[in-house]
Amino acid sequence: QVQLVESGGGSVQAGGSLGLSCAASRATTLVTWFRQAPGKEREGVAGITGGGITYYADSVKGRFTISQDKSKNTVYLQMNTLKPEDTAMYYCAASRRFEPGIRWANVGRYDYWGQGTQVTVSS
């Protein structure tokens, strides 16, 4: 079992920045931030493997940065130049499986999920 504890989030005006943290109770192979806005499907935002390979959704490339501190089993998501369309509940998800054939943004790849943290960007 892996417990995930998220922190960060909040409200900000468009163009502002926010940071999210996801602390895992043990090491994982892949951690990804997903988000879900009301009435929309959950979508992958950014992911990072234990080896440091990163993935980003096209909509956040150049604005969001995912990183990790392996000594703390913690993954960070720095979100800059935020837009109103970034408003959503953000979830941290983790896997301890090695499945390179499954896309990083596939929700079925993850066994462990955090409770979610709200990010609201006003125009």
Side-chain angles (χ1 to χ4, degrees):
Q1 281 287 348
V2 178
Q3 282 75 48
L4 301 174
V5 179
E6 299 152 344
S7 59
S11 298
V12 67
Q13 289 192 326
S17 299
L18 285 173
L20 304 179
S21 298
C22 174
S25 58
R26 58 189 303 185
T28 57
T29 57
L30 176 62
V31 175
T32 291
W33 285 97
F34 286 82
R35 66 186 180 189
Q36 188 166 21
K40 294 188 177 182
E41 291 188 355
R42 193 167 294 192
E43 63 171 350
V45 175
I48 188 166
T49 69
I53 297 172
T54 57
Y55 307 95
Y56 294 95
D58 288 343
S59 59
V60 306
K61 282 181 181 176
R63 300 190 296 123
F64 291 13
T65 302
I66 191 168
S67 61
Q68 64 184 346
D69 183 337
K70 296 186 70 176
S71 68
K72 298 180 180 179
N73 289 331
T74 300
V75 170
Y76 306 95
L77 184 67
Q78 179 63 38
M79 304 181 291
N80 298 328
T81 320
L82 283 160
K83 305 176 181 180
E85 51 264 42
D86 294 318
T87 295
M89 185 71 78
Y90 282 69
Y91 298 90
C92 173
S95 172
R96 299 195 73 237
R97 294 174 281 166
F98 180 70
E99 297 175 311
I102 300 178
R103 189 169 175 267
W104 66 276
N106 187 326
V107 296
R109 187 167 178 177
Y110 301 89
D111 298 314
Y112 310 103
W113 292 83
Q115 77 282 3
T117 184
Q118 179 68 36
V119 170
T120 302
V121 184
S122 58
S123 57

Short mmCIF file of all heavy atoms in Angstrom, two decimals, residues 37-83:
data_model
loop_
_atom_site.label_atom_id
_atom_site.label_comp_id
_atom_site.label_asym_id
_atom_site.label_seq_id
_atom_site.Cartn_x
_atom_site.Cartn_y
_atom_site.Cartn_z
N ALA A 37 -12.00 18.84 -13.94
CA ALA A 37 -12.90 19.98 -13.81
C ALA A 37 -14.33 19.46 -13.84
O ALA A 37 -14.60 18.38 -14.38
CB ALA A 37 -12.66 20.96 -14.96
N PRO A 38 -15.28 20.21 -13.28
CA PRO A 38 -16.67 19.76 -13.27
C PRO A 38 -17.18 19.44 -14.67
O PRO A 38 -17.00 20.23 -15.60
CB PRO A 38 -17.41 20.96 -12.68
CG PRO A 38 -16.40 21.63 -11.83
CD PRO A 38 -15.09 21.46 -12.56
N GLY A 39 -17.76 18.26 -14.81
CA GLY A 39 -18.33 17.86 -16.09
C GLY A 39 -17.32 17.36 -17.11
O GLY A 39 -17.68 17.06 -18.25
N LYS A 40 -16.05 17.27 -16.71
CA LYS A 40 -15.02 16.82 -17.64
C LYS A 40 -14.35 15.55 -17.13
O LYS A 40 -14.42 15.23 -15.94
CB LYS A 40 -13.98 17.92 -17.85
CG LYS A 40 -14.53 19.15 -18.55
CD LYS A 40 -13.41 20.11 -18.91
CE LYS A 40 -13.94 21.30 -19.69
NZ LYS A 40 -12.84 22.24 -20.08
N GLU A 41 -13.69 14.86 -18.04
CA GLU A 41 -12.96 13.66 -17.65
C GLU A 41 -11.66 14.03 -16.93
O GLU A 41 -11.11 15.10 -17.14
CB GLU A 41 -12.64 12.82 -18.88
CG GLU A 41 -13.85 12.17 -19.53
CD GLU A 41 -13.46 11.19 -20.63
OE1 GLU A 41 -12.27 11.10 -20.95
OE2 GLU A 41 -14.36 10.53 -21.16
N ARG A 42 -11.21 13.09 -16.12
CA ARG A 42 -9.93 13.28 -15.46
C ARG A 42 -8.82 13.20 -16.52
O ARG A 42 -8.81 12.29 -17.34
CB ARG A 42 -9.74 12.22 -14.39
CG ARG A 42 -8.60 12.50 -13.44
CD ARG A 42 -8.66 11.58 -12.23
NE ARG A 42 -9.85 11.87 -11.42
CZ ARG A 42 -10.04 11.37 -10.19
NH1 ARG A 42 -9.11 10.59 -9.64
NH2 ARG A 42 -11.13 11.66 -9.51
N GLU A 43 -7.89 14.13 -16.48
CA GLU A 43 -6.83 14.15 -17.48
C GLU A 43 -5.46 14.23 -16.81
O GLU A 43 -5.29 14.88 -15.78
CB GLU A 43 -7.01 15.33 -18.43
CG GLU A 43 -6.92 16.70 -17.77
CD GLU A 43 -6.90 17.85 -18.77
OE1 GLU A 43 -6.76 17.59 -19.98
OE2 GLU A 43 -7.00 19.01 -18.32
N GLY A 44 -4.49 13.59 -17.43
CA GLY A 44 -3.13 13.65 -16.94
C GLY A 44 -2.52 15.01 -17.23
O GLY A 44 -2.64 15.51 -18.34
N VAL A 45 -1.86 15.56 -16.24
CA VAL A 45 -1.23 16.87 -16.37
C VAL A 45 0.28 16.73 -16.54
O VAL A 45 0.86 17.27 -17.47
CB VAL A 45 -1.55 17.74 -15.15
CG1 VAL A 45 -0.82 19.07 -15.21
CG2 VAL A 45 -3.05 17.97 -15.03
N ALA A 46 0.90 16.01 -15.61
CA ALA A 46 2.34 15.81 -15.66
C ALA A 46 2.70 14.59 -14.84
O ALA A 46 2.08 14.34 -13.80
CB ALA A 46 3.09 17.04 -15.13
N GLY A 47 3.70 13.85 -15.31
CA GLY A 47 4.13 12.66 -14.59
C GLY A 47 5.64 12.58 -14.53
O GLY A 47 6.35 13.21 -15.34
N ILE A 48 6.14 11.80 -13.56
CA ILE A 48 7.57 11.63 -13.42
C ILE A 48 7.85 10.22 -12.94
O ILE A 48 7.19 9.70 -12.03
CB ILE A 48 8.17 12.69 -12.47
CG1 ILE A 48 9.70 12.63 -12.46
CG2 ILE A 48 7.60 12.57 -11.05
CD1 ILE A 48 10.35 13.85 -11.82
N THR A 49 8.84 9.58 -13.57
CA THR A 49 9.22 8.23 -13.16
C THR A 49 10.24 8.29 -12.04
O THR A 49 10.83 9.34 -11.77
CB THR A 49 9.82 7.45 -14.32
OG1 THR A 49 11.10 8.01 -14.65
CG2 THR A 49 8.92 7.48 -15.55
N GLY A 50 10.47 7.15 -11.43
CA GLY A 50 11.49 7.09 -10.39
C GLY A 50 12.87 7.46 -10.92
O GLY A 50 13.70 7.98 -10.18
N GLY A 51 13.08 7.22 -12.21
CA GLY A 51 14.35 7.56 -12.84
C GLY A 51 14.44 9.00 -13.31
O GLY A 51 15.47 9.41 -13.84
N GLY A 52 13.37 9.75 -13.13
CA GLY A 52 13.39 11.17 -13.47
C GLY A 52 12.88 11.54 -14.85
O GLY A 52 12.98 12.69 -15.26
N ILE A 53 12.32 10.57 -15.59
CA ILE A 53 11.74 10.89 -16.89
C ILE A 53 10.42 11.62 -16.64
O ILE A 53 9.62 11.19 -15.82
CB ILE A 53 11.51 9.62 -17.71
CG1 ILE A 53 12.84 8.93 -17.99
CG2 ILE A 53 10.78 9.94 -19.01
CD1 ILE A 53 12.71 7.58 -18.64
N THR A 54 10.22 12.71 -17.36
CA THR A 54 9.02 13.51 -17.16
C THR A 54 8.11 13.49 -18.37
O THR A 54 8.56 13.31 -19.51
CB THR A 54 9.38 14.96 -16.82
OG1 THR A 54 10.18 15.50 -17.87
CG2 THR A 54 10.15 15.05 -15.51
N TYR A 55 6.82 13.67 -18.11
CA TYR A 55 5.80 13.72 -19.15
C TYR A 55 4.91 14.92 -18.86
O TYR A 55 4.62 15.22 -17.70
CB TYR A 55 4.95 12.45 -19.13
CG TYR A 55 5.71 11.16 -19.20
CD1 TYR A 55 6.06 10.47 -18.04
CD2 TYR A 55 6.09 10.62 -20.43
CE1 TYR A 55 6.76 9.28 -18.10
CE2 TYR A 55 6.79 9.42 -20.49
CZ TYR A 55 7.12 8.75 -19.33
OH TYR A 55 7.81 7.57 -19.40
N TYR A 56 4.43 15.55 -19.92
CA TYR A 56 3.53 16.70 -19.77
C TYR A 56 2.42 16.64 -20.79
O TYR A 56 2.62 16.24 -21.95
CB TYR A 56 4.29 18.01 -19.96
CG TYR A 56 5.33 18.31 -18.91
CD1 TYR A 56 6.65 17.98 -19.09
CD2 TYR A 56 4.95 18.92 -17.71
CE1 TYR A 56 7.61 18.24 -18.12
CE2 TYR A 56 5.89 19.20 -16.73
CZ TYR A 56 7.22 18.85 -16.94
OH TYR A 56 8.15 19.12 -15.97
N ALA A 57 1.25 17.09 -20.38
CA ALA A 57 0.18 17.31 -21.33
C ALA A 57 0.54 18.53 -22.17
O ALA A 57 1.19 19.47 -21.69
CB ALA A 57 -1.13 17.56 -20.58
N ASP A 58 0.11 18.53 -23.42
CA ASP A 58 0.43 19.65 -24.31
C ASP A 58 -0.07 20.98 -23.74
O ASP A 58 0.56 22.02 -23.93
CB ASP A 58 -0.19 19.41 -25.69
CG ASP A 58 0.52 18.32 -26.47
OD1 ASP A 58 1.66 17.97 -26.11
OD2 ASP A 58 -0.07 17.82 -27.44
N SER A 59 -1.18 20.93 -23.05
CA SER A 59 -1.80 22.16 -22.55
C SER A 59 -0.99 22.84 -21.45
O SER A 59 -1.24 24.02 -21.15
CB SER A 59 -3.21 21.86 -22.03
OG SER A 59 -3.16 20.90 -20.98
N VAL A 60 -0.03 22.13 -20.85
CA VAL A 60 0.73 22.72 -19.75
C VAL A 60 2.22 22.82 -20.04
O VAL A 60 2.97 23.37 -19.22
CB VAL A 60 0.51 21.95 -18.43
CG1 VAL A 60 -0.97 21.83 -18.11
CG2 VAL A 60 1.18 20.59 -18.48
N LYS A 61 2.66 22.31 -21.16
CA LYS A 61 4.08 22.36 -21.50
C LYS A 61 4.58 23.81 -21.51
O LYS A 61 3.94 24.69 -22.08
CB LYS A 61 4.32 21.71 -22.86
CG LYS A 61 4.33 20.20 -22.83
CD LYS A 61 4.60 19.61 -24.22
CE LYS A 61 4.58 18.09 -24.18
NZ LYS A 61 4.75 17.51 -25.53
N GLY A 62 5.72 24.01 -20.90
CA GLY A 62 6.28 25.35 -20.83
C GLY A 62 5.76 26.18 -19.66
O GLY A 62 6.32 27.24 -19.36
N ARG A 63 4.70 25.72 -19.02
CA ARG A 63 4.13 26.46 -17.89
C ARG A 63 4.26 25.69 -16.57
O ARG A 63 4.45 26.30 -15.52
CB ARG A 63 2.65 26.76 -18.14
CG ARG A 63 2.39 27.58 -19.39
CD ARG A 63 0.94 28.05 -19.44
NE ARG A 63 0.01 26.93 -19.54
CZ ARG A 63 -0.97 26.70 -18.67
NH1 ARG A 63 -1.14 27.51 -17.62
NH2 ARG A 63 -1.79 25.65 -18.84
N PHE A 64 4.11 24.38 -16.63
CA PHE A 64 4.18 23.54 -15.44
C PHE A 64 5.50 22.77 -15.43
O PHE A 64 6.00 22.37 -16.49
CB PHE A 64 3.03 22.54 -15.41
CG PHE A 64 1.68 23.12 -15.18
CD1 PHE A 64 1.43 24.49 -15.26
CD2 PHE A 64 0.60 22.29 -14.90
CE1 PHE A 64 0.17 25.02 -15.06
CE2 PHE A 64 -0.67 22.80 -14.69
CZ PHE A 64 -0.88 24.17 -14.78
N THR A 65 6.01 22.53 -14.23
CA THR A 65 7.22 21.74 -14.07
C THR A 65 7.03 20.73 -12.95
O THR A 65 6.65 21.09 -11.83
CB THR A 65 8.43 22.63 -13.72
OG1 THR A 65 8.62 23.61 -14.75
CG2 THR A 65 9.70 21.79 -13.61
N ILE A 66 7.27 19.47 -13.28
CA ILE A 66 7.18 18.41 -12.28
C ILE A 66 8.60 18.03 -11.86
O ILE A 66 9.51 17.97 -12.69
CB ILE A 66 6.39 17.20 -12.81
CG1 ILE A 66 6.06 16.23 -11.68
CG2 ILE A 66 7.11 16.50 -13.96
CD1 ILE A 66 5.03 15.16 -12.06
N SER A 67 8.76 17.79 -10.57
CA SER A 67 10.07 17.41 -10.05
C SER A 67 9.88 16.51 -8.85
O SER A 67 8.75 16.30 -8.39
CB SER A 67 10.87 18.66 -9.67
OG SER A 67 10.21 19.39 -8.65
N GLN A 68 10.98 15.97 -8.35
CA GLN A 68 10.85 15.08 -7.20
C GLN A 68 12.06 15.17 -6.29
O GLN A 68 13.16 15.53 -6.71
CB GLN A 68 10.67 13.62 -7.67
CG GLN A 68 11.85 13.04 -8.42
CD GLN A 68 11.56 11.64 -8.94
OE1 GLN A 68 10.59 10.98 -8.55
NE2 GLN A 68 12.40 11.16 -9.85
N ASP A 69 11.82 14.85 -5.04
CA ASP A 69 12.87 14.67 -4.05
C ASP A 69 12.75 13.22 -3.59
O ASP A 69 11.89 12.88 -2.78
CB ASP A 69 12.68 15.63 -2.88
CG ASP A 69 13.81 15.54 -1.86
OD1 ASP A 69 14.48 14.49 -1.81
OD2 ASP A 69 14.01 16.52 -1.12
N LYS A 70 13.60 12.36 -4.13
CA LYS A 70 13.48 10.94 -3.85
C LYS A 70 13.77 10.61 -2.40
O LYS A 70 13.26 9.63 -1.86
CB LYS A 70 14.38 10.14 -4.80
CG LYS A 70 13.96 10.28 -6.25
CD LYS A 70 14.77 9.37 -7.16
CE LYS A 70 14.43 7.92 -6.97
NZ LYS A 70 15.14 7.04 -7.92
N SER A 71 14.59 11.42 -1.76
CA SER A 71 14.90 11.17 -0.35
C SER A 71 13.67 11.34 0.53
O SER A 71 13.60 10.79 1.63
CB SER A 71 16.02 12.09 0.12
OG SER A 71 15.58 13.44 0.16
N LYS A 72 12.70 12.11 0.02
CA LYS A 72 11.47 12.36 0.77
C LYS A 72 10.26 11.68 0.14
O LYS A 72 9.13 11.86 0.61
CB LYS A 72 11.21 13.87 0.86
CG LYS A 72 12.27 14.66 1.59
CD LYS A 72 11.93 16.14 1.62
CE LYS A 72 12.99 16.93 2.35
NZ LYS A 72 12.69 18.39 2.36
N ASN A 73 10.49 10.95 -0.96
CA ASN A 73 9.37 10.33 -1.70
C ASN A 73 8.29 11.38 -2.01
O ASN A 73 7.10 11.11 -1.88
CB ASN A 73 8.76 9.17 -0.92
CG ASN A 73 9.68 7.96 -0.86
OD1 ASN A 73 10.48 7.72 -1.75
ND2 ASN A 73 9.57 7.20 0.22
N THR A 74 8.74 12.54 -2.40
CA THR A 74 7.81 13.64 -2.65
C THR A 74 7.97 14.16 -4.07
O THR A 74 9.08 14.33 -4.56
CB THR A 74 8.04 14.79 -1.64
OG1 THR A 74 7.82 14.29 -0.32
CG2 THR A 74 7.08 15.95 -1.90
N VAL A 75 6.83 14.40 -4.70
CA VAL A 75 6.78 14.95 -6.06
C VAL A 75 6.13 16.33 -5.99
O VAL A 75 5.15 16.53 -5.26
CB VAL A 75 5.99 14.02 -6.99
CG1 VAL A 75 5.72 14.69 -8.33
CG2 VAL A 75 6.76 12.72 -7.20
N TYR A 76 6.69 17.24 -6.75
CA TYR A 76 6.21 18.62 -6.76
C TYR A 76 5.70 18.99 -8.15
O TYR A 76 6.20 18.50 -9.16
CB TYR A 76 7.35 19.56 -6.38
CG TYR A 76 8.02 19.22 -5.09
CD1 TYR A 76 9.19 18.45 -5.06
CD2 TYR A 76 7.49 19.65 -3.88
CE1 TYR A 76 9.80 18.12 -3.87
CE2 TYR A 76 8.10 19.33 -2.67
CZ TYR A 76 9.25 18.56 -2.68
OH TYR A 76 9.85 18.23 -1.49
N LEU A 77 4.72 19.86 -8.16
CA LEU A 77 4.23 20.41 -9.42
C LEU A 77 4.21 21.92 -9.28
O LEU A 77 3.40 22.47 -8.52
CB LEU A 77 2.83 19.89 -9.77
CG LEU A 77 2.30 20.34 -11.13
CD1 LEU A 77 3.12 19.72 -12.26
CD2 LEU A 77 0.83 19.98 -11.30
N GLN A 78 5.10 22.58 -9.99
CA GLN A 78 5.13 24.04 -10.01
C GLN A 78 4.32 24.51 -11.21
O GLN A 78 4.61 24.13 -12.35
CB GLN A 78 6.57 24.56 -10.10
CG GLN A 78 6.67 26.06 -10.14
CD GLN A 78 6.14 26.73 -8.89
OE1 GLN A 78 6.32 26.22 -7.79
NE2 GLN A 78 5.47 27.86 -9.07
N MET A 79 3.33 25.33 -10.94
CA MET A 79 2.43 25.78 -12.00
C MET A 79 2.57 27.29 -12.16
O MET A 79 2.27 28.05 -11.22
CB MET A 79 0.98 25.42 -11.64
CG MET A 79 0.79 23.93 -11.37
SD MET A 79 -0.91 23.50 -10.99
CE MET A 79 -1.08 24.27 -9.38
N ASN A 80 3.05 27.70 -13.30
CA ASN A 80 3.24 29.11 -13.60
C ASN A 80 2.32 29.56 -14.72
O ASN A 80 1.78 28.72 -15.46
CB ASN A 80 4.70 29.38 -13.99
CG ASN A 80 5.68 29.06 -12.89
OD1 ASN A 80 5.37 29.20 -11.70
ND2 ASN A 80 6.87 28.63 -13.27
N THR A 81 2.16 30.84 -14.86
CA THR A 81 1.32 31.43 -15.90
C THR A 81 -0.02 30.72 -15.96
O THR A 81 -0.48 30.26 -17.02
CB THR A 81 2.02 31.37 -17.28
OG1 THR A 81 3.41 31.66 -17.16
CG2 THR A 81 1.41 32.37 -18.25
N LEU A 82 -0.64 30.62 -14.82
CA LEU A 82 -1.91 29.90 -14.73
C LEU A 82 -3.01 30.59 -15.51
O LEU A 82 -3.05 31.83 -15.60
CB LEU A 82 -2.30 29.72 -13.27
CG LEU A 82 -1.52 28.62 -12.55
CD1 LEU A 82 -1.58 28.80 -11.04
CD2 LEU A 82 -2.05 27.26 -12.95
N LYS A 83 -3.90 29.77 -16.04
CA LYS A 83 -5.03 30.25 -16.84
C LYS A 83 -6.33 29.79 -16.18
O LYS A 83 -6.35 28.78 -15.47
CB LYS A 83 -4.95 29.68 -18.25
CG LYS A 83 -3.65 29.96 -18.99
CD LYS A 83 -3.63 29.27 -20.34
CE LYS A 83 -2.33 29.52 -21.08
NZ LYS A 83 -2.30 28.84 -22.40
#
